[in-house]
Amino acid sequence: MQKSTFKLDPYTEEFAENPYPIYATLRKDYPLYLHEEWNTWLFSRYEDVRRLVVDTRFGRTMDSVSTEEELAEIRRDQNWDAMPNHSKYIKINMLESEGELHQHLRKSVFNEFTPAKAALMNDAIQRIVDKAFERISSRETVDFIEDFAAAIPGFIIGQLLGVPEVDRPKLRRWSEDIVQYYEPDRSVVSEEIAEKAVSEFAAYLIELIDEYRKNPQDNLISRLVHNEDASLKLNERDLISNCMFILAAGHGSTIDVVGTGMLALLTNPDEMAKVQSDPSLIKSAITEMFRFESPLPYFHRIALED
């Protein structure tokens, strides 16, 4: 294969402003591109990506094909001991696992995220969104992300999990601090912030789990604690891990899509006018917002066999 003169640098301001011409070049000329700094092959064409994500010879981690000795060595190399709580609850979760553990964690909450279950939250979500609108409705200018988008997901996720309303503002701080670990320019300080947030959130969840063990309520944590299906029972570590994963997966990505979706409507006024004149289009518009400007443009897979 001829060595490419093309170079992908996703950390530049130019790329952040508008990555799509670069993506178009990748799809057209470099559908299989070796990013030497990451030691990673990048696939940019839909059909190739689709085949990769359904091929069971690829996975998120090597855990399921590693011996205990190999696994211990990997974790030593990655210095898991430096962030014990982050390693315990964040690095081993539904997304970052394969095989039986992944299936167990996934099945334990699968029935909580059906369309029917989601519909039961409609009224609660509407009240949360209405309150956010009320706070900004009289202002002449609004920071749409800070004043609206960022004020919503923590309260909705808190409602789902069973976090009392008075404590739900903490979820935003914990979520934003935890994901500092994944920033490309992370430092020792940001790792310490992430570890502290995980530690605080874990301690809080342990108290909440104990409360719902004694006094069952209608929320996800309580239902998981009192699940009568032995095959779906979670130990405390996995229950905490699932709760943290639900927060991390839903918090930042929701803010991103609300923000980029609004920007897309503002920069495409004809589409904005269609949605405003026909509210029945809102559902498909939201789906399109996820596709048009994905909150997670990169996703890795590791070859689990030669």
Side-chain angles (χ1 to χ4, degrees):
M1 183 181 294
Q2 184 177 358
K3 187 171 178 64
S4 169
T5 58
F6 173 82
K7 181 173 174 58
L8 173 65
D9 187 356
Y11 300 141
T12 64
E13 289 187 13
E14 179 185 12
F15 182 86
E17 283 288 329
N18 184 14
Y20 298 105
I22 304 296
Y23 291 158
T25 299
L26 281 172
R27 288 194 301 272
K28 179 176 180 292
D29 299 325
Y30 308 101
L32 181 58
Y33 175 77
L34 176 61
H35 194 293
E36 295 183 351
E37 182 183 345
W38 295 347
N39 191 28
T40 298
W41 289 97
L42 299 182
F43 292 77
S44 53
R45 290 181 177 173
Y46 172 82
E47 186 57 32
D48 294 333
V49 173
R50 189 196 67 79
R51 289 171 60 192
L52 280 172
V53 296
V54 299
D55 193 323
T56 57
R57 295 173 299 174
F58 294 87
R60 287 284 292 180
T61 74
M62 296 289 289
D63 292 5
S64 61
V65 294
S66 300
T67 65
E68 288 297 323
E69 292 77 14
E70 290 170 337
L71 201 53
E73 183 178 352
I74 291 170
R75 293 177 179 179
R76 279 195 301 272
D77 290 343
Q78 296 177 351
N79 202 19
W80 278 38
D81 289 343
M83 300 177 67
N85 287 290
H86 191 279
S87 300
K88 183 178 181 180
Y89 298 119
I90 302 297
K91 289 184 179 177
I92 303 177
N93 63 36
M94 191 191 312
L95 184 65
E96 304 295 348
S97 60
E98 295 292 334
E100 292 182 6
L101 177 59
H102 171 80
Q103 291 300 324
H104 180 57
L105 294 174
R106 182 174 179 271
K107 286 178 180 178
S108 69
V109 297
F110 182 79
N111 289 330
E112 296 291 336
F113 293 94
T114 63
K117 275 288 180 68
L120 294 176
M121 289 193 65
N122 282 350
D123 290 344
I125 292 171
Q126 189 65 58
R127 286 193 295 270
I128 291 167
V129 174
D130 287 347
K131 281 185 179 180
F133 270 122
E134 287 171 10
R135 287 194 296 269
I136 65 175
S137 60
S138 61
R139 301 182 191 178
E140 290 187 9
T141 60
V142 171
D143 181 328
F144 183 73
I145 298 297
E146 182 62 31
D147 298 333
F148 181 75
I152 292 175
F155 278 82
I156 294 175
I157 295 168
Q159 174 87 17
L160 171 71
L161 293 176
V163 175
E165 187 169 351
V166 68
D167 292 331
R168 291 176 195 171
K170 297 177 184 177
L171 297 180
R172 178 184 176 188
R173 177 175 63 81
W174 284 332
S175 175
E176 291 178 350
D177 286 353
I178 288 169
V179 300
Q180 284 203 30
Y181 177 83
Y182 298 101
E183 293 296 330
D185 59 348
R186 80 170 184 260
S187 63
V188 172
V189 173
S190 58
E191 290 182 356
E192 290 173 350
I193 291 172
E195 174 68 8
K196 182 174 183 288
V198 175
S199 303
E200 291 177 358
F201 193 17
Y204 177 83
L205 286 170
I206 288 170
E207 290 185 3
L208 206 58
I209 289 166
D210 186 55
E211 169 62 26
Y212 289 138
R213 186 173 283 117
K214 298 172 185 174
N215 302 296
Q217 301 290 327
D218 183 18
N219 59 61
L220 186 144
I221 290 178
S222 188
R223 286 192 290 274
L224 291 179
V225 168
H226 294 279
N227 196 326
E228 295 180 357
D229 187 338
S231 68
L232 300 181
K233 275 282 189 184
L234 296 175
N235 59 37
E236 186 175 82
R237 191 213 73 84
D238 290 342
L239 179 51
I240 292 171
S241 173
N242 259 5
C243 291
M244 289 192 179
F245 172 70
I246 289 167
L247 175 65
H251 193 274
S253 58
T254 301
I255 296 171
D256 290 345
V257 172
V258 172
T260 57
M262 177 57 74
L263 179 62
L265 290 173
L266 291 171
T267 52
N268 293 273
D270 290 346
E271 300 302 311
M272 171 82 92
K274 289 179 185 177
V275 174
Q276 289 174 326
S277 63
D278 184 0
S280 70
L281 295 175
I282 289 175
K283 186 174 181 179
S284 60
I286 293 170
T287 302
E288 183 68 2
M289 288 172 189
F290 275 93
R291 187 205 66 79
F292 187 71
E293 184 86 66
S294 171
L296 188 64
Y298 298 92
F299 212 71
H300 79 259
R301 285 288 188 273
I302 299 170
L304 303 180
E305 60 184 71
D306 289 340

